């Protein structure tokens, strides 16, 4: 039996086939075809996208012995034309072939074993069995991969029987449980022989380049992120556009961008510190004035003050008016906040009163001790909330 078209020729982008079965799986229509150029998700590689009889193919999955093409809408049985999203497929082939090459060179030249890999939509990564990877070693690894790309080494898939497989020096993480019959191998001439069912390039030259992005610790090892081919070129272009915008905004060259940002952050931090000091002074003054009012329950609304301002105000208010309750509110950034502060000398269930206030304001909140705070949908009903507090306070 012939393998599917995506395996026979991974560069084929169109095919005429027959829809043998049209079904539905949990509300997702799918089709099973007589042959397909669409690769089903597996081996770390995502399923292909494209068109089937003019209908978008959203996902491709193996289901027992068949390949299901999940569609935007159902299609009837019968003849159907297939068109592959080639740009997406070629990107997947570049990333996947790059991963094979990177893993092989890391292991054979630098004794860095790959324990796992991930081919993502924006970046890819391999997990290496070392706790740390130095910058120098990372550059040496990237240079070695670049040399193998320039060498234009052929990349060749083939199938072998179990006996031949046992005689070969194959890099493998093991065969699927219960696997029988032939085993598919992918060889990068002179560098790697690996078990893999995915789609790959014909030559390492088609990878174009591999850029190693950075590392992070994970599960006792190191995750090494990378991008390859067109994805790397697009990423570089995005960085250049971003740097150009930053150069314009900060008035600094590329090498001075970090220092310029650091300088502005320091100035911003100082300005925020000064602002907090002024707000604390304002909160102190407001608390003194509120504590002097004759009413048992007092209220004050502010504009443009953050929720933290209400906390500063309430602490000072409670220290000066232990037998009073205060309902304070503010609007900031298009949002409304409220805070109920109840003095220790006032007999009032703070949690229950706070829930009543939140309900009247159309919001929600919570608290502990003598404070209850939250967000309000609107402050238009604040007078009603104040009246409710006055009733509860007797």
């Amino acid at each position: 039996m012939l393998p599917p078209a995506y395996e026979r020729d991974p560069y084929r982008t169109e095919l005429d086939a027959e829809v043998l079965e049209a079904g539905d799986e949990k509300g997702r229509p799918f089709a099973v075809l007589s042959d397909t150029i669409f690769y089903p998700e597996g081996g770390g590689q995502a399923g292909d996208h494209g068109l089937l009889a003019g209908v978008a193919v959203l996902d491709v999955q193996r289901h027992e012995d068949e390949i299901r093409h999940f569609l935007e809408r159902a299609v009837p049985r019968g003849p159907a034309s297939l068109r592959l999203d080639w740009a997406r497929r070629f990107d997947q082939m570049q990333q996947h072939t790059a991963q094979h090459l990177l893993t092989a060179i890391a292991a054979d030249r630098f004794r860095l074993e790959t324990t796992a890999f991930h081919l993502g939509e924006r970046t890819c990564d391999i997990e290496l069995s070392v706790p740390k990877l130095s910058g120098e070693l990372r550059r040496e690894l990237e240079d070695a991969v670049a040399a193998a790309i320039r060498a234009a080494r052929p990349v060749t898939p083939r199938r072998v029987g179990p006996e031949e497989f046992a005689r070969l020096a194959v890099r493998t993480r093991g065969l699927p449980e219960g696997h029988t019959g032939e085993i598919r191998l992918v060889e990068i001439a002179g560098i790697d022989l690996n078990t893999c069912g995915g789609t790959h390039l014909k030559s390492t030259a088609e990878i174009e380049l591999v850029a190693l992005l950075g590392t992070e610790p994970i599960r006792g090892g190191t995750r090494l992120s990378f991008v390859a081919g067109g994805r790397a070129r697009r990423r570089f272009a995005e960085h250049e556009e971003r740097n150009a915008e930053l150069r314009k905004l900060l008035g600094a060259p590329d090498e001075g961008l970090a220092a310029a940002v650091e300088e502005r952050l320091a100035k911003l931090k100082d300005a925020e510190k000064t602002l907090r000091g002024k707000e604390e002074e304002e909160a102190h003054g407001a608390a003194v004035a509120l504590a002097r009012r004759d009413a048992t329950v007092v209220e004050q609304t502010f504009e443009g003050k953050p929720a933290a301002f209400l906390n500063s105000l309430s602490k000072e208010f409670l220290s000066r008016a232990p037998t009073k309750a205060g309902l304070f509110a503010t609007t900031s950034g298009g949002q409304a906040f409220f805070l109920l502060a109840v003095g220790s000398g006032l007999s009032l269930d703070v949690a229950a009163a706070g829930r009543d206030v939140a309900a009247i304001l159309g919001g929600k909140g919570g608290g502990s001790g003598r404070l209850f705070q939250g967000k309000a949908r609107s402050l238009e009903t604040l007078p009603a909330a104040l009246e409710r507090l006055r009733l509860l306070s007797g």
Side-chain angles (χ1 to χ4, degrees), residues 28-89:
R28 297 194 303 164
F30 69 83
V32 177
L33 309 177
S34 58
D35 196 5
T36 184
I37 53 175
F38 295 107
Y39 177 77
E41 181 180 6
Q45 184 175 329
D48 282 326
H49 292 177
L51 295 174
L52 193 164
V55 177
V57 178
L58 306 177
D59 190 18
V60 187
Q61 297 287 334
R62 289 188 181 277
H63 181 77
E64 297 178 351
D65 294 331
E66 64 185 22
I67 296 175
R68 291 184 173 182
H69 303 70
F70 291 93
L71 308 170
E72 189 174 43
R73 63 177 185 274
V75 297
R77 295 185 181 187
S81 60
L82 282 61
R83 179 174 295 175
L84 180 69
D85 181 342
W86 172 246
R88 185 173 186 276
R89 159 69 76 77

Side-chain angles (χ1 to χ4, degrees), residues 247-267:
R247 288 194 296 269
K248 181 180 178 181
L249 291 170
L250 298 171
D254 281 356
E255 60 272 18
L257 290 176
V261 170
E262 187 175 5
E263 179 185 354
R264 282 157 177 76
L265 286 175
K267 290 180 179 179

